Amino acid sequence: MSPNFLVLLAAYNGMKWISDQVHSILNQNGVSVTLIISIDSSNDGTEEWALALSERNPKVLVLETGKKFGGAAPNFFRLINEASLKEFDYFSFADQDDIWLPNKLIEAVETISSAGAQGYSSNVTAFWPDGKEKLIVKSQPQVQFDHLFEAAGPGCTYVFSKELFRDLQQHISNQFSEVQNVTLHDWYCYAFSRTHGYKWVIDSRSHMLYRQHSNNQVGVNTGLKAFKARLSQVFNGWWLNQAALISRLVGVENTPFVQRWISLRRVALIRLAFSGYKCRRRVRDKIVFSVLCVILAVLRHKK
């Protein structure tokens, strides 16, 4: 029997792309797919299009429309909270503007099975309107605490076993108001999975085209402009404050490692700098992580 998937798609003003994406999801090889869509209140016809599709296709479900979320994370948290569990074997996230290759989901199932894992993500192939393509590598070896400081790759590659998704859903339901303060749902779901003893595998292959355009909420972090934006998130406190919030919400606030840095005071930041090698996966990111922690500590000392 084919694995039964529930794909959770968050949409907002997506009429330019959503038809191609939904087609690529519903036409996956080797699996049975039901698609559930949550739409952040839109003004370009996305809601009407999705509702019309759901009337024609019983495999497409649309949650109550007219709600305003203001970002992808609260939209996905809503999808997780309201998803049905009963008839599904696996659960997957989807963005509105990508294109999935035909074997994306069945390859994820096979990788999960061979690795003995419960969570899955993969590399992606970014593509731009001018035809440029670039493999985005997120499959560097996982380290002890990377989940507290970064996602496992783009959330649109995530696949969860039923056991893991049930646990994640219950956790989010129990603190639904608190998780609304989390900016990146994919980082949070990866952190929850790893801190709760679930094995996660990151596939080195790409099974989807990751569309890049001016309306991406979170896109490929390449180039000087993206680097400056990431630096801004570090120096305005967003990044480490999110790491601290996520650590608290997933229940590891009182572990020895987190206690060493969660105050984010000067000495705590110096301690964290010496742990950079076990906080990020990519070698360059390990170095940058440690350097930025030292800089933040110096700046805090001067205040």
Side-chain angles (χ1 to χ4, degrees), residues 4-301:
N4 212 353
F5 265 85
L6 181 65
V7 176
L8 287 63
L9 188 152
Y12 171 68
N13 280 347
M15 277 303 294
K16 289 181 181 178
W17 318 284
I18 194 170
S19 179
D20 288 343
Q21 167 68 315
V22 167
H23 179 80
S24 74
I25 292 170
L26 295 178
N27 287 279
Q28 288 288 294
N29 293 332
V31 297
S32 176
V33 173
T34 297
L35 176 65
I36 181 171
I37 304 173
S38 174
I39 305 168
D40 199 336
S41 186
S42 300
N43 58 17
D44 71 340
T46 300
E47 295 171 359
E48 293 80 4
W49 180 89
L51 289 168
L53 178 62
S54 70
E55 291 180 359
R56 300 192 306 270
N57 189 335
K59 287 287 191 176
V60 178
L61 310 172
V62 179
L63 297 181
E64 181 183 354
T65 59
K67 296 181 180 293
K68 191 67 181 172
F69 300 102
N75 205 351
F76 274 106
F77 287 138
R78 181 224 191 168
L79 280 161
I80 295 167
N81 191 49
E82 298 192 25
S84 172
L85 295 175
K86 54 183 179 180
E87 70 265 40
F88 301 108
D89 306 306
Y90 296 94
F91 300 80
S92 179
F93 293 161
D95 293 340
Q96 65 184 0
D97 49 4
D98 303 321
I99 299 174
W100 288 10
L101 302 184
N103 291 328
K104 178 182 186 294
L105 294 182
I106 193 63
E107 293 283 2
V109 170
E110 292 172 357
T111 302
I112 285 171
S113 178
S114 63
Q118 297 84 36
Y120 167 97
S121 58
S122 75
N123 294 338
V124 296
T125 303
F127 73 108
W128 285 262
D130 63 3
K132 175 187 172 184
E133 292 189 359
K134 179 181 175 62
L135 179 67
I136 306 303
V137 178
K138 297 292 184 179
S139 56
Q140 300 88 359
Q142 292 163 275
V143 292
Q144 190 174 2
F145 299 114
D146 67 286
H147 53 282
L148 298 181
F149 299 96
E150 62 178 326
C156 49
T157 68
Y158 283 20
V159 173
F160 305 87
S161 71
K162 186 167 191 170
E163 177 189 9
L164 170 52
F165 190 84
R166 181 191 293 115
D167 201 3
L168 175 65
Q169 183 184 63
Q170 186 62 57
H171 167 81
I172 286 173
S173 177
N174 287 344
Q175 48 186 5
F176 194 69
S177 61
E178 290 87 349
V179 298
Q180 303 309 310
N181 295 312
V182 174
T183 307
L184 299 176
H185 64 284
D186 45 7
W187 178 4
Y188 189 81
C189 292
Y190 178 51
F192 173 85
S193 303
R194 289 278 304 276
T195 56
H196 285 72
Y198 290 101
K199 183 177 180 180
W200 193 284
V201 60
I202 307 178
D203 193 342
S204 62
R205 299 168 298 171
S206 167
H207 304 293
M208 60 171 284
L209 301 176
Y210 188 45
R211 190 187 301 271
Q212 301 300 298
H213 54 80
S214 60
N215 295 328
N216 283 117
Q217 182 176 351
V218 179
V220 174
N221 291 319
T222 59
L224 181 60
K225 183 178 179 181
F227 182 70
K228 288 180 178 178
R230 293 200 304 276
L231 282 182
S232 174
Q233 290 177 330
V234 171
F235 289 119
N236 69 16
W238 172 84
W239 178 44
L240 287 178
N241 279 306
Q242 281 286 299
L245 172 64
I246 289 170
S247 297
R248 293 186 187 101
L249 292 179
V250 300
V252 295
E253 177 182 4
N254 294 319
T255 59
F257 171 73
V258 176
Q259 278 293 298
R260 285 173 56 83
W261 61 265
I262 197 168
S263 70
L264 300 180
R265 297 191 180 98
R266 185 170 66 92
V267 173
L269 290 168
I270 293 295
R271 292 195 197 108
L272 190 56
F274 282 102
S275 298
Y277 67 97
K278 52 185 176 181
C279 296
R280 298 296 297 260
R281 295 190 299 276
R282 188 167 60 171
V283 172
R284 185 180 72 187
D285 292 344
K286 297 174 192 288
I287 297 168
V288 171
F289 180 97
S290 295
V291 170
L292 289 176
C293 286
V294 171
I295 293 172
L296 286 170
V298 171
L299 292 175
R300 192 145 298 186
H301 178 63

